[in-house]
Amino acid sequence: MPTALRLLHALSPEHRDRLMSVAREVSFPADGQIFEAGGTADRFWVIRSGTVSLYQQVIADRQITVAQLGPGDLLGWSWLFRPHTWDFGAEAFSPVRAYEFDAGEVRTLCDQDPTLELSLTRTIGAILAHRLETTRAALIEHYARHGGGR
């Protein structure tokens, strides 16, 4: 499986500089909630250090981890697509430092520079495709280990 595509490294230096012009540094403590499914997706992050768990609430008192994200990974893509609500929840597994981007500011930058919008959208699309493939492989492995396909 190829390594995950890193948002900031995939952009041209010019586009990366434009995006970073609206970034701010933030941190989250271990076990800190970053966002919850159904909440307003009005920002996204690029993780600098630490680990974030993406989870899906299965029933009221049970959640399953669907991905672990680490340094360089994009956290949050729901800001890009209507209705701009989170599909998953995210929690800091360890102390996390990240660059935070306000979605409205980024959309304004994209309106001003359509090549930035295209580059950002294509890169995020490639990241999502990679994550879907990774998740699919994990589900197949899990299914095979637990007696599926008999």
Side-chain angles (χ1 to χ4, degrees), residues 1-62:
M1 186 69 54
T3 59
L5 182 59
R6 308 292 189 209
L7 177 67
L8 296 178
H9 292 109
L11 298 174
S12 70
E14 176 187 346
H15 288 153
R16 184 173 43 250
D17 289 346
R18 296 224 43 220
L19 186 61
M20 291 304 294
S21 73
V22 297
R24 69 182 193 105
E25 294 186 32
V26 297
S27 60
F28 301 98
D31 299 325
Q33 186 72 37
I34 300 172
F35 57 82
E36 292 186 27
T40 301
D42 60 355
R43 62 199 66 243
F44 66 96
W45 301 264
V46 172
I47 300 169
R48 297 180 60 214
S49 65
T51 305
V52 172
S53 296
L54 286 179
Y55 66 87
Q56 181 71 54
Q57 199 72 36
V58 180
I59 55 176
D61 62 342
R62 179 160 148 79

Side-chain angles (χ1 to χ4, degrees), residues 91-108:
E91 182 177 87
F93 182 77
S94 66
V96 170
R97 290 178 31 221
Y99 293 118
E100 182 178 84
F101 300 87
D102 178 274
E105 289 180 22
V106 173
R107 285 193 290 268
T108 297

Side-chain angles (χ1 to χ4, degrees), residues 137-150:
L139 286 172
I140 289 170
E141 180 180 323
H142 177 79
Y143 186 66
R145 266 190 283 132
H146 292 87
R150 286 188 223 171

Side-chain angles (χ1 to χ4, degrees), residues 82-95:
R82 292 190 189 283
H84 305 297
T85 56
W86 298 119
D87 291 313
F88 300 102
E91 182 177 87
F93 182 77
S94 66

Side-chain angles (χ1 to χ4, degrees), residues 54-133:
L54 286 179
Y55 66 87
Q56 181 71 54
Q57 199 72 36
V58 180
I59 55 176
D61 62 342
R62 179 160 148 79
Q63 62 188 37
I64 57 169
T65 298
V66 296
Q68 293 278 330
L69 304 177
D73 284 336
L74 169 69
L75 172 61
W77 52 265
S78 298
W79 64 274
L80 191 57
F81 305 104
R82 292 190 189 283
H84 305 297
T85 56
W86 298 119
D87 291 313
F88 300 102
E91 182 177 87
F93 182 77
S94 66
V96 170
R97 290 178 31 221
Y99 293 118
E100 182 178 84
F101 300 87
D102 178 274
E105 289 180 22
V106 173
R107 285 193 290 268
T108 297
L109 285 179
C110 289
D111 289 344
Q112 295 167 352
D113 183 353
T115 62
L116 170 62
E117 179 178 29
L118 180 61
S119 179
L120 195 57
T121 302
R122 283 184 174 172
T123 302
I124 291 172
I127 291 168
L128 293 177
H130 172 62
R131 288 193 189 161
L132 285 171
E133 178 60 27

